[in-house]
Amino acid sequence: MRVGPSQEEIRRQNLGALLRYVHIHGATSRAELTSALGLNRSTIGALTADLTNAGLVSEGAPKETGRAGRPSLVVQPEWDRVHAFAFSIEVDRLRVARIGLGGAVLDRRELARPRGLVAAETVPLLTGALKEMRRAVPAGTICVGAGIAVCGMVRRDDGMVRLSPHAGWVDEPIGAALAAELGAGATLAVGNVADVCAFAEHARGVAAGCDNVLYLYGDVGVGAGIIAGGRRLTGHGGYGGEVGHMVVNRDGKPCECGSRGCWETEIGEYALLRGSGRAEAHGREAVLAVFDAASRGDARAQAAVRQAGDWLGFGVGNLVNIFNPEMVVFGGTLRDLYLTAAAQVRSRLNSVALPACLEHVRLRTPGLGDDAVLIGAAELAFERLLADPLDAA
């Protein structure tokens, strides 16, 4: 005979649902929580009391509404007391931030990352920034753990960076190295940059309310974060979304992955710099200079941007046919490529995508901007708390 969930299990599920709601939506009245969660007022009151006693939320009177009658109390996350640390290991920079419950960026540090920096040299830079940040954390706060975003293929089970070709990393245990610095008992989750950006934009950014989303992130390489049916799609081992290594041009350039004609060889950093006559340059600023030159009439830069835009639309068209998303979000340098070459992108997309798959697709840029990766990494850390608040607090 199948036994249903116990009263305690139901209570814990409801606690998680309430905390997740205010984490995503911010200060919320008890009346709205009653309606949104489908629970009665007394249950909402009891759940709120439990979360308040655990130091996770607080309650207060709402601002003046001008309406008659007793106003409903407002529940809000303790954003300045409960936090997670977020690390972002990008091609040209390292970032560390402290993110409060509710998604507020409370503190941040940014360091340049020289190309070729090995993992053993990267970890001390991140932990140094973390230690500096920790000294500024007020007493009495609760750290729920940390999340790491890496430009590379990350094994879901243990956070091993299996491959980051542009950094030269192979099987680097970056998660274990940083976990040791966080201390015993600290939880740490590792994800791919594009994946965590998709997570953040779906939760509280431009893709909020969309259950089928593609987030495309570009720098030297190209990756995708995929939301399908409201859930992150990362594949069996966590390596899903490596769309930059989708072969699109059999006569194309060699790729650092060992293949030839990968999508990133046509729309990534090297393609734009090479096509605009800047092959000796590198880095995000050099790529942005190409877009600036194109906007000022530089013929070679304009040709490079048009060609990359055409290939961007070609790849997006294929992905739209495969995943049938409601929204495609362009992040990293692909944001600037899309904004500069929107006509080429849309023209090629319209010629490649099936009409039925294309008819509801919206093309957007990130609502959270560059902070998407930090907020998304923190969301990985908050997941355990939101699943069972009293166990994780």
Side-chain angles (χ1 to χ4, degrees):
M1 180 182 292
R2 182 180 177 184
V3 179
S6 68
Q7 286 296 111
E8 178 61 17
E9 288 172 329
I10 293 173
R11 172 175 163 272
R12 286 179 176 269
Q13 289 171 7
N14 288 337
L15 283 167
L18 194 157
L19 184 60
R20 187 180 296 274
Y21 194 91
V22 298
H23 171 62
I24 296 299
H25 297 279
T28 308
S29 71
R30 282 196 185 188
E32 182 180 335
L33 289 169
T34 299
S35 175
L37 302 181
L39 301 171
N40 60 47
R41 288 188 298 174
S42 61
T43 300
I44 291 293
L47 296 173
T48 301
D50 286 342
L51 293 174
T52 300
N53 291 335
L56 300 174
V57 303
S58 60
E59 281 192 294
K63 294 180 180 178
E64 186 64 42
T65 63
R67 296 179 181 178
R70 183 179 178 183
S72 177
L73 291 173
V74 170
V75 183
Q76 63 182 10
E78 284 279 28
W79 57 268
D80 55 346
R81 183 171 184 267
V82 184
H83 67 267
F85 289 107
F87 300 89
S88 179
I89 303 174
E90 300 162 51
V91 171
D92 292 315
R93 63 181 175 179
L94 305 171
R95 291 190 285 166
V96 183
R98 185 166 69 93
I99 311 293
L101 187 66
V105 181
L106 304 175
D107 196 0
R108 70 176 81 216
R109 303 287 187 279
E110 181 172 326
L111 303 167
R113 180 193 182 192
R115 299 229 170 150
L117 194 70
V118 299
E121 297 170 313
T122 302
V123 171
L125 294 176
L126 291 172
T127 56
L130 174 65
K131 289 174 182 176
E132 179 183 329
M133 192 175 294
R134 274 179 155 173
R135 287 195 288 269
V137 175
T141 59
I142 300 172
C143 177
V144 302
I148 309 172
V150 184
C151 284
M153 298 177 68
V154 178
R155 187 162 64 198
R156 180 175 52 213
D157 291 344
D158 59 4
M160 174 77 75
V161 180
R162 296 299 308 277
L163 178 66
S164 182
H166 303 293
W169 291 10
V170 178
D171 289 340
E172 291 287 355
I174 195 76
L178 282 172
E181 288 294 332
L182 282 169
T187 60
L188 187 144
V190 188
N192 171 270
V193 164
D195 182 48
V196 304
C197 286
F199 193 13
E201 290 290 346
H202 177 246
R204 59 177 75 252
V206 70
C210 294
D211 280 344
N212 297 279
V213 181
L214 286 176
Y215 184 104
L216 299 175
Y217 180 89
D219 44 42
V220 177
V222 175
I226 304 164
I227 305 293
R231 298 188 177 190
R232 293 160 58 215
L233 183 63
T234 58
H236 175 68
Y239 312 130
E242 290 298 324
V243 298
H245 299 291
M246 173 174 61
V247 176
V248 297
N249 184 0
R250 65 181 183 179
D251 300 318
K253 301 272 189 236
C255 180
E256 291 195 20
C257 74
S259 187
R260 177 182 289 273
C262 291
W263 195 27
E264 69 181 44
T265 67
E266 302 292 350
I267 65 172
E269 174 184 307
Y270 296 147
L272 283 160
L273 294 175
R274 184 177 59 247
S276 62
R278 296 167 168 81
E280 301 304 314
H282 71 270
R284 180 179 175 83
E285 293 305 315
V287 174
L288 295 180
V290 174
F291 299 127
D292 180 62
S295 70
R296 291 185 286 103
D298 184 309
R300 195 164 181 184
Q302 288 177 336
V305 169
R306 280 196 302 271
Q307 182 170 353
D310 186 70
W311 279 113
L312 178 58
F314 179 89
V316 171
N318 281 286
L319 294 173
V320 164
N321 288 341
I322 295 168
F323 293 105
N324 187 207
E326 301 164 69
M327 183 179 292
V328 179
V329 184
F330 299 98
T333 54
L334 293 185
R335 170 191 178 275
D336 304 279
L337 175 57
Y338 167 66
L339 291 175
T340 308
Q344 284 76 29
V345 174
R346 291 180 180 275
S347 176
R348 178 59 71 180
L349 171 61
N350 290 339
S351 71
V352 171
L354 295 168
C357 295
L358 185 60
E359 59 189 2
H360 297 300
V361 174
R362 289 170 284 167
L363 307 182
R364 296 290 187 268
T365 57
L368 300 174
D370 273 358
D371 282 345
V373 64
L374 295 171
I375 293 171
E379 291 294 339
L380 294 179
F382 282 125
E383 272 302 286
R384 178 169 169 261
L385 174 70
L386 299 177
D388 193 346
L390 299 189
D391 181 62

